[in-house]
Amino acid sequence: MKKIVFVVLLLLPLWSLAASLNDSLNDLESEWAQIYYGNANDKEKAYIKLLDKAAMLAQQYPNAAEALIWQANIMATYADIQDAISALDAIYNARKLLNQAIAINPKALDGSAFVTLGTLYYMAPKWPIAFGDSEQARQLLETALAINPNGIDSNYFYGDFLLTANQPNEAIKYFETAANAPIRAEQSFADTQLQAEAKIALKNVQERKISRGKNIFRSLFNSASLL
């Protein structure tokens, strides 16, 4: 009995650490969703404040891929409202963080690093402006699907990628999966919003109205292409 109690006491700090990290990640996700999908008066200020929180969390948990993924996600979506030069710098930094996260744990957050990284690759301008690469994007997004075949994010963004590749019929399957995927309790608001976009995208493709909805990085790359 004494040995069991001793082991439990040794593990308690680890359990507390995990709980604290998860709570902090959930807080980041909740704040990010309110900024990204909401109508905040000063999104730039809100993003900067949230990025500071994300950076501190990544420093606190240097071996946690999840913290790096959320830092990259916030950085990348903040790029959407920055000027083209600042935004390009942001997506390069986000790519670096995502690659670090994959090196630590490629399956963290159900492969979310591959989703965001793949999205960066198909939405970013191609060389010499940035690192956009459709084939690299396809490989990354397909890796995300292999890790999480029924996820909202992995299916929605692969479907969106297929639209950019002029494959609307193939995209239908992935939008359907995203539109019917279970909502995750820990990020119900963001999942509900993205699922609504998946349903709109599915309807548009089925009706051959391939108009794009709200996607991260879109305004950035429209402006960057003019550089």
Side-chain angles (χ1 to χ4, degrees):
M1 178 63 74
K2 288 183 179 180
K3 287 184 178 180
I4 294 174
V5 172
F6 179 67
V7 171
V8 169
L9 289 174
L10 283 177
L11 290 176
L12 273 175
L14 296 178
W15 290 336
S16 298
L17 188 71
S20 179
L21 175 59
N22 287 335
D23 288 345
S24 297
L25 291 171
N26 288 338
D27 287 344
L28 285 181
E29 184 279 327
S30 179
E31 288 189 51
W32 170 83
Q34 292 295 333
I35 296 168
Y36 182 65
Y37 289 107
N39 297 308
N41 293 328
D42 193 343
K43 285 196 173 188
E44 183 172 9
K45 185 176 180 180
Y47 268 125
I48 291 171
K49 183 178 178 181
L50 189 58
L51 271 175
D52 287 341
K53 286 185 180 180
M56 289 178 63
L57 187 64
Q59 289 175 0
Q60 185 178 358
Y61 300 97
N63 296 316
E66 297 85 352
L68 292 172
I69 292 169
W70 266 109
Q71 186 181 6
N73 287 344
I74 296 164
M75 190 176 293
T77 47
Y78 174 39
D80 196 36
I81 64 171
Q82 292 179 285
D83 64 84
I85 300 299
S86 298
L88 287 172
D89 185 56
I91 63 170
Y92 272 100
N93 287 331
R95 182 178 68 164
K96 180 180 178 181
L97 292 172
L98 292 166
N99 281 321
Q100 290 174 359
I102 289 169
I104 294 171
N105 180 6
K107 294 185 179 181
L109 299 178
D110 294 324
S112 291
F114 290 103
V115 177
T116 303
L117 194 55
T119 304
L120 280 171
Y121 270 96
Y122 82 81
M123 290 189 177
K126 299 183 185 300
W127 188 89
I129 296 173
F131 53 82
D133 186 320
S134 295
E135 284 308 307
Q136 183 71 13
R138 187 186 295 273
Q139 291 175 22
L140 290 163
L141 292 167
E142 288 179 353
T143 299
L145 279 168
I147 294 172
N148 189 17
N150 299 312
I152 295 176
D153 294 0
S154 54
N155 280 278
Y156 174 82
F157 284 106
Y158 191 59
D160 193 64
F161 163 75
L162 290 173
L163 290 187
T164 70
N166 197 29
Q167 296 178 263
N169 292 332
E170 291 83 351
I172 289 175
K173 169 187 172 182
Y174 299 97
F175 286 139
E176 284 179 337
T177 301
N180 294 288
I183 299 293
R184 292 165 288 190
E186 68 276 12
Q187 53 186 81
S188 59
F189 180 65
D191 278 2
T192 299
Q193 297 296 319
L194 189 58
Q195 194 165 71
E197 291 187 14
K199 291 176 181 178
I200 292 171
L202 176 61
K203 184 174 183 292
N204 287 339
V205 174
Q206 289 173 332
E207 296 177 355
R208 296 301 185 266
K209 298 176 182 177
I210 309 174
S211 59
R212 316 266 308 207
K214 179 182 179 184
N215 281 316
I216 55 178
F217 326 126
R218 187 66 58 210
S219 62
L220 157 66
F221 299 128
N222 285 341
S223 59
S225 65
L226 301 176
L227 293 177

